[in-house]
Amino acid sequence: MRANAMRPRGTRRAPGRGTHRSAPSAPDGTRHTAARHPAEAVPGPARQRARGGSALLALLLLLTGLVAASAPAAAAPSSTVLHVQMNLAGLGYLPVNGVDGVAGPVTAAAVRAFQTENCLPADGIAGPRTGSALTGKVTAVQRAAGAAADGLYGGGTRSAVLAYQRAHGLLEDGIAGPRTMAAMGIGRGDCGGGGGGGLPYPSSHALQVQWNLAGMGYLPWSGVDGISGPQTRESLRAFQRDACIAVDGVAGPVTDSRMARQVRRVQQKAGAAADGAYGPDTRSAVERYQRANGLAADGSAGPATMRAMGIDRTMSCGDGGSGANPLPPAAGSTRERIVDTARSQLGVREWGANCNPYGWCDAWCAMFGTWVWQKAGVDVPTYAFTGAWFNWGLGNGHSSWGYDGVRAGDAVLYGSGPSSVSTSTHVDLVEKVHADGTLTVIGGNVRDAVTRRTIDPATAGIYGHVRP
């Protein structure tokens, strides 16, 4: 909502503000005074005293108006503010006793907290973007709890959340706070994807990592809160040791890929959708499997459950999969680092519907390429659209049309130009330029994986390239 929408309806204007009509304008645009002040008819010192008195009176009126304007706007509650407060309180951002329909500093602070967690401008104003994001979170909670998905956290939603909490062994308060939303598989924070990076607020990536870890018995279910912390990092290290990859406690692309593969194995054995992302449906499927096989039905595919499923918990270092490739050391020139980093990701595959470890669930060749450049130290934004990457380079002198002069580490773009997704269709990173003019390239989202190919640039349909 707009800032002025937070003023309660029906409040009176402060005295002395906005109550007078403007004086009529003269033809030349200057303002005429409606009437002369009586003091102007008084000569000498008397006129000065009168003017001083009128100035004092005007100042008093102004101050009175300011005080009245800043007096509690709480005189009349607003239904719009009330709805925002109900949603904030339902998600745990605002105390329940703060739901009074009156905009104030506590409500503004709660709005800012929600905005910060969702990467929105933290201005404390529930404008259209903030209102839409808030309604979306409430609707997701309602669907998970089995309530009417109307986007308003009312009594019916609270009762449904209470029932959900009771059924899942959660604190029964009817509020969809971090733990409840995590149990529902809902990301409390939404910053457009990417890694959690130890941020102090919940992120959807950190939440999925925790679901995967808990689903495989590395993290207790109580640790699924969407916040990266010491317990999550130690659980990641335990998984990385079993996965035979670099043990750093960070859920980067290699760890994500190996984790997703192991989760898919569990899902296939349990009869769940094999999308590589452990969630409530997978947990329920594993519980059914455990009950059918005389195992403790906790929904977590720990060592005993994996043994029953015939899954090796400790993976082979020679397993030929993407997860066995460690990230290279940050050494050499920028172009060398780009090539080494791209090589390290060969074989990393997507899961679900274009879900990938380099960004969000969408066509990801540009996300892979910009991620590689970032790892090599290039200050490039993350792009999902290849044409946007080329235009970025045009803006700073790093893009050229065609492929003349292309070198290892450059990004080559395919299609006819950067104007739309139908004209700019793919991007690869150049691994090597051969003497015969052919290029060996590494690209993401090629047959759903990071893949190496050798191409003839004269016939490949390259419209331009970007230099790091």
Side-chain angles (χ1 to χ4, degrees):
M1 71 184 75
R2 294 185 298 274
N4 60 4
M6 300 294 259
R7 182 196 297 165
R9 295 179 180 177
T11 55
R12 298 190 178 190
R13 290 186 178 272
R17 292 180 64 113
T19 57
H20 299 290
R21 294 183 180 274
S22 298
S25 298
D28 62 359
T30 58
R31 294 279 182 188
H32 292 294
T33 53
R36 289 186 179 274
H37 194 284
E40 294 188 8
V42 182
R47 178 182 297 180
Q48 296 298 325
R49 287 194 300 272
R51 285 179 176 172
S54 65
L56 179 60
L57 177 60
L59 178 61
L60 288 173
L61 286 172
L62 176 62
L63 291 174
T64 303
L66 289 174
V67 170
S70 60
S78 160
S79 60
T80 303
V81 175
L82 186 68
H83 291 173
V84 170
Q85 291 173 330
M86 289 170 66
N87 285 351
L88 290 168
L91 300 180
Y93 293 97
L94 182 73
V96 175
N97 61 9
V99 180
D100 56 7
V102 178
V106 175
T107 300
V111 171
R112 281 193 293 272
F114 176 82
Q115 290 169 327
T116 299
E117 288 194 359
N118 287 272
C119 290
L120 296 165
D123 57 8
I125 299 170
R129 286 181 62 197
T130 298
S132 176
L134 187 57
T135 299
K137 293 293 182 187
V138 171
T139 301
V141 168
Q142 290 171 325
R143 287 174 179 152
D150 59 6
L152 179 61
Y153 208 110
T157 301
R158 188 168 186 271
S159 297
V161 170
L162 274 169
Y164 181 94
Q165 291 169 327
R166 190 174 301 117
H168 291 80
L170 299 163
L171 175 67
E172 298 175 33
D173 58 3
I175 295 171
R179 293 291 171 89
T180 297
M181 289 180 75
M184 291 174 168
I186 301 170
R188 189 166 175 84
D190 184 5
C191 289
L199 295 172
Y201 52 81
S203 78
S204 56
H205 177 258
L207 182 65
Q208 185 59 67
V209 167
Q210 290 173 332
W211 263 98
N212 287 350
L213 290 169
M216 293 186 290
Y218 292 96
L219 181 73
W221 288 115
S222 60
V224 180
D225 57 7
I227 301 173
S228 295
Q231 186 179 34
T232 299
R233 288 192 289 273
E234 188 54 44
S235 299
L236 275 167
R237 291 187 188 99
F239 172 80
Q240 289 167 332
R241 283 190 287 269
D242 281 350
C244 199
I245 55 179
V247 179
D248 59 7
V250 177
V254 173
T255 299
D256 281 345
S257 179
R258 184 57 74 95
M259 194 181 301
R261 184 195 309 176
Q262 194 77 317
V263 169
R264 278 195 295 271
R265 290 170 175 164
V266 171
Q267 291 170 323
Q268 288 165 351
K269 295 292 184 178
D275 59 4
Y278 219 103
D281 291 344
T282 302
R283 183 177 180 180
S284 297
V286 170
E287 286 177 353
R288 290 192 295 271
Y289 179 93
Q290 290 168 326
R291 283 192 291 269
N293 289 273
L295 300 164
D298 59 2
S300 176
T305 298
M306 281 192 172
R307 276 197 302 272
M309 290 177 167
I311 299 172
D312 290 331
R313 192 169 178 84
T314 303
M315 290 166 263
S316 169
C317 292
D319 192 11
S322 59
N325 301 324
L327 283 175
S333 69
T334 298
R335 292 180 181 276
E336 289 170 337
R337 292 198 299 269
I338 289 172
V339 171
D340 287 345
T341 304
R343 285 172 178 161
S344 77
Q345 302 305 296
L346 284 168
V348 172
R349 300 190 63 80
E350 69 177 44
W351 64 92
N354 272 327
C355 295
N356 64 90
Y358 311 106
W360 48 98
C361 297
D362 202 345
W364 52 278
C365 61
M367 286 187 272
F368 165 74
T370 50
W371 179 90
V372 170
W373 273 22
Q374 290 164 3
K375 291 294 181 184
V378 182
D379 188 15
V380 61
T382 298
Y383 288 117
F385 173 41
T386 54
W389 189 358
F390 184 77
N391 287 331
W392 169 85
L394 282 179
N396 58 31
H398 283 244
S399 286
S400 295
W401 298 95
Y403 55 87
D404 286 345
V406 72
R407 298 169 58 193
D410 287 349
V412 290
L413 298 102
Y414 302 83
S416 58
S419 60
S420 71
V421 292
S422 61
T423 62
S424 186
T425 57
H426 184 65
V427 61
D428 282 324
L429 298 177
V430 178
E431 180 184 18
K432 188 174 182 180
V433 180
H434 299 281
D436 62 359
T438 59
L439 307 176
T440 297
V441 296
I442 297 174
N445 208 13
V446 178
R447 296 187 295 277
D448 300 334
V450 178
T451 304
R452 173 190 281 131
R453 301 176 296 146
T454 298
I455 64 168
D456 180 354
T459 60
I462 293 173
Y463 74 80
H465 65 279
V466 188
R467 300 174 294 278

